Amino acid sequence: MRALRVVVGSVLLSGAMVAASATSSSSAPPGAAGSGAAGSGAAEAGATASAAGSLTQVTGFGTNPGNLAMYEYVPAGLPAGAPTVVALHGCTQSAAAYHQGSGWSQLADEYGFAVVYPQQSSGNNANSCFNFFEAGDTTRGQGEAASIAQMVTHARSSHSLGSDNTFVTGLSAGGGMTSAMLATYPDLFAGGSVVAGLPFRCATSMVDAFGCMSNPPDKTPQQWGALARDGYPGHSGPRPKVAVWHGTSDTTVVPANARELVDQFTDVAGVSRTATETTTLSGGTTRRAYGDEVVEYSVQGMGHGTPVDPGSGADQCGQAGAYFLDTICSARHDAAFFGISAPVDPGDPGDPDPEPGACVTASNYDHTVAGRAHQSGGMTFANGSGDAMGLWNVFTTTELEETAPGYWKVGC
């Protein structure tokens, strides 16, 4: 069991490092953005992130069935009822690395909210990946999911934080765990953001994880939604709003996972899978909104990592490095989507996604990026019908028709 966990973590790590070095134009200082040993040591010592403030380890936050560490950043003078953001690092990263690189600590200072950083241990997973593929760690009341929930409860009580304005976000394996928290604890979170992650219950074993990362199953929105609702079958209250971020050049967790995530959470929210608004943002980013409840960000040419935009500009945040890719400040857009910060530049309006019955002619690559098709083994297939479309590249052009929401077939 442990050997397979090492392999899964190594695959996530190797792809991310290659993608980061190929996409980011600037490098991080040693140990800043997630090279395992340096990041872990800093966190264990209770590291201080540059200008963002002090990161503090918290013990005794609960029974901790998942054997995780809890770190928190709480700006001085927070008013009662302030929001909380739970930020989950990626494989080989640490709480300190995510605190320093992601931009969330900067926004916490600007807008007055607390950030909780769960940290995985090498005892649970040799590469410090959250175990998004283990049912025992992604079931309500069990394992790592229960530990994260206990951290939220402890932080709320200790700092008089709000009970209806808690949010969760995570990268890669942390993104997979974010999906799990949104499905299993919808009563705890008002929203979440899955960055280069996977749908809930795409993988229920270590073997499944490989298939989901490279070629997730093309389930219907209803099938995905049912899996998420089963995370807490007794829940009858509101569901969290969800943001999905993915780079179009991510070869570690392929972009098809973003499509399936949107399928899952639009169905849970009870909104149409057809985008109600499409806008173009900085960093080659396309934003698609599905009502007010689900939003998808596709970052052109970005590999595997958290989108950041270092600098002092109004819409900037974060530090570039491995796993932190210099494109756009995803944390700032998420905070605005959650309603805990000032609005960001809405971008330029684009063409809305086609209504069912419309024809779209594009390259097979563009079809997959837009969520109309998916690729497997270098070949392209239409979503819904599974019709073969030929090679997955920018040269092969195919005409697709959407005959029902999310159901595409070749030809019009």
Side-chain angles (χ1 to χ4, degrees):
M1 294 289 285
R2 178 181 171 85
L4 279 173
R5 287 186 180 182
V6 173
V7 173
V8 171
S10 296
V11 170
L12 285 166
L13 166 62
S14 60
M17 288 301 187
V18 171
S21 62
T23 316
S24 178
S25 59
S26 57
S27 59
S35 67
S40 298
E44 289 166 4
T48 299
S50 58
S54 179
L55 187 64
T56 304
Q57 183 169 12
V58 179
T59 58
F61 58 84
T63 58
N64 193 16
N67 191 32
L68 301 178
M70 175 183 176
Y71 290 81
E72 66 180 15
Y73 178 69
V74 183
L78 284 188
T84 308
V85 173
V86 177
L88 299 160
H89 63 75
C91 294
T92 77
Q93 290 184 316
S94 63
Y98 218 68
H99 178 64
Q100 184 173 0
S102 66
W104 280 110
S105 58
Q106 175 185 336
L107 295 174
D109 285 331
E110 287 182 32
Y111 294 107
F113 57 82
V115 188
V116 171
Y117 298 93
Q119 181 171 285
Q120 182 60 288
S121 69
S122 58
N124 289 347
N125 184 292
N127 282 307
S128 299
C129 307
F130 291 102
N131 288 313
F132 68 92
F133 48 84
E134 294 282 9
D137 283 310
T138 55
T139 297
R140 185 179 175 92
Q142 297 183 26
E144 294 173 12
S147 291
I148 294 168
Q150 290 177 0
M151 295 180 197
V152 171
T153 301
H154 185 275
R156 285 177 176 178
S157 175
S158 299
H159 305 291
S160 299
L161 302 173
S163 60
D164 59 355
N165 51 0
T166 302
F167 306 89
V168 60
T169 181
L171 164 67
S172 193
M177 188 60 73
T178 296
S179 298
M181 298 309 297
L182 293 170
T184 57
Y185 288 94
D187 53 332
L188 199 62
F189 297 102
S193 175
V194 183
V195 184
L198 307 93
F200 178 63
R201 288 287 184 260
C202 184
T204 56
S205 70
M206 290 170 281
V207 174
D208 287 347
F210 291 109
C212 289
M213 288 159 55
S214 62
N215 186 27
D218 184 22
K219 298 181 186 292
T220 66
Q222 294 75 23
Q223 290 172 325
W224 281 121
L227 289 172
R229 284 185 289 273
D230 285 346
Y232 183 18
H235 181 65
S236 59
R239 292 280 176 173
K241 56 169 50 180
V242 181
V244 175
W245 290 84
H246 225 105
T248 63
S249 296
D250 190 338
T251 58
T252 302
V253 179
V254 298
N257 281 282
R259 181 195 71 236
E260 305 304 332
L261 277 161
V262 172
D263 282 352
Q264 183 165 67
F265 287 108
T266 52
D267 185 74
V268 168
V271 299
S272 172
R273 181 59 175 82
T274 301
T276 54
E277 181 184 36
T278 301
T279 53
T280 301
L281 305 175
S282 62
T285 305
T286 299
R287 179 186 188 272
R288 295 182 181 89
Y290 303 86
D292 296 327
E293 301 305 312
V294 179
V295 63
E296 176 188 15
Y297 298 88
S298 179
V299 187
Q300 186 68 33
M302 190 183 79
H304 189 69
T306 296
V308 297
D309 184 14
S312 57
D315 290 340
Q316 293 183 291
C317 76
Q319 295 185 21
Y323 288 101
F324 300 109
L325 308 184
D326 189 351
T327 49
I328 185 173
C329 173
S330 57
R332 193 172 292 279
H333 284 269
D334 282 340
F337 177 60
F338 296 157
I340 60 175
S341 74
V344 292
D345 183 350
D348 297 324
D351 296 329
D353 284 2
E355 295 293 329
C359 272
V360 180
T361 301
S363 73
N364 284 352
Y365 174 80
D366 287 338
H367 278 309
T368 60
V369 171
R372 297 183 288 267
H374 60 282
Q375 69 89 17
S376 177
M379 304 300 290
T380 317
F381 302 90
N383 289 342
S385 69
D387 289 351
M389 298 165 55
L391 291 172
W392 184 57
N393 57 38
V394 297
F395 307 108
T396 305
T397 299
T398 306
E399 186 179 67
L400 292 181
E401 180 182 11
E402 188 180 30
T403 58
Y407 190 97
W408 296 86
K409 69 179 186 66
V410 172
C412 299

